[in-house]
């Protein structure tokens, strides 16, 4: 895809290396929260990084980081894995379905969980995705906003998309 000029109200989804994936219309909530397209799908913005630091593999980083992650209707995130534990906190209005794919070299769907308000139907207001477990989010008919916290603090060097 070429880096052509966007239409008004569009932002570019790019790979971690900066290659253009697609131009997207910015959802209203993404604009209000100043979110940008995430390389895996959905929209995000880092909202916090701990003032305390740690050293991981010889590199300093925050002890923890936090992002908003917005999943509009019809959007999904691709299979990916994060090297450290990730805490998901639901804000609404819709629910988010997460598929977990084990900790092998490639994802194999092993479990599905729903992040949302309906505890009586088995939804969870918060979830922990263990380090090294493949995950993806699936679309629903309603926009969903969550917060994700990673400790030690997230960098894209700790993140991998499935082939």
């Amino acid at each position: 895809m070429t880096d052509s000029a966007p239409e008004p109200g569009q932002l570019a989804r790019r790979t971690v290396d900066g290659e253009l994936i697609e131009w997207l219309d910015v959802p209203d909530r993404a604009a209000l929260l100043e979110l940008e397209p995430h390389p895996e799908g959905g929209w995000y913005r880092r909202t916090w990084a701990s003032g305390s630091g740690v050293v991981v593999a010889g590199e300093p980083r925050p002890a923890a980081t936090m992002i908003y992650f917005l999943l509009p209707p019809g959007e999904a995130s691709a299979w990916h894995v994060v090297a450290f534990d990730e805490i998901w906190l639901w804000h609404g209005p819709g629910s988010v379905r997460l598929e977990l794919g084990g900790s092998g070299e490639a994802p194999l769907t092993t479990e599905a969980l729903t992040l949302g308000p309906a505890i009586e139907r088995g939804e969870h207001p918060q979830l922990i995705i263990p380090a090294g477990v493949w995950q993806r989010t699936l679309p629903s008919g309603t926009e969903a906003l969550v917060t994700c916290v990673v400790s030690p603090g997230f960098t894209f060097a700790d993140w991998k998309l499935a082939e």
Side-chain angles (χ1 to χ4, degrees), residues 64-100:
T65 56
M66 181 167 62
I67 66 167
Y68 278 138
F69 181 73
L70 178 72
L71 199 63
E75 277 203 52
S77 72
W79 279 112
H80 64 284
V81 65
V82 178
F84 300 105
D85 292 344
E86 187 172 7
I87 303 165
W88 287 62
L89 306 164
W90 176 81
H91 300 302
S95 299
V96 175
R97 185 171 168 86
L98 287 113
E99 283 190 347
L100 305 183

Side-chain angles (χ1 to χ4, degrees), residues 34-85:
E34 301 176 357
L35 307 181
E36 60 186 66
H38 197 292
E40 77 193 30
W43 297 75
Y44 81 111
R45 176 173 58 91
R46 180 177 279 187
T47 57
W48 174 77
S50 171
S52 299
V54 296
V55 176
V56 176
E59 297 292 323
R61 66 171 70 194
T65 56
M66 181 167 62
I67 66 167
Y68 278 138
F69 181 73
L70 178 72
L71 199 63
E75 277 203 52
S77 72
W79 279 112
H80 64 284
V81 65
V82 178
F84 300 105
D85 292 344

Side-chain angles (χ1 to χ4, degrees), residues 11-34:
L11 287 177
R13 182 179 318 279
R14 297 184 180 277
T15 66
V16 173
D17 297 327
E19 293 179 44
L20 180 64
I21 298 170
E22 62 186 333
W23 289 105
L24 298 167
D25 293 329
V26 180
D28 291 342
R29 194 176 312 256
L32 290 169
L33 292 171
E34 301 176 357

Side-chain angles (χ1 to χ4, degrees), residues 94-129:
S95 299
V96 175
R97 185 171 168 86
L98 287 113
E99 283 190 347
L100 305 183
S103 57
E105 287 299 311
L108 298 170
T109 302
T110 59
E111 186 176 9
L113 301 167
T114 301
L115 190 66
I119 298 165
E120 69 282 358
R121 290 196 313 258
E123 294 184 351
H124 307 270
Q126 66 183 32
L127 291 169
I128 298 173
I129 309 300

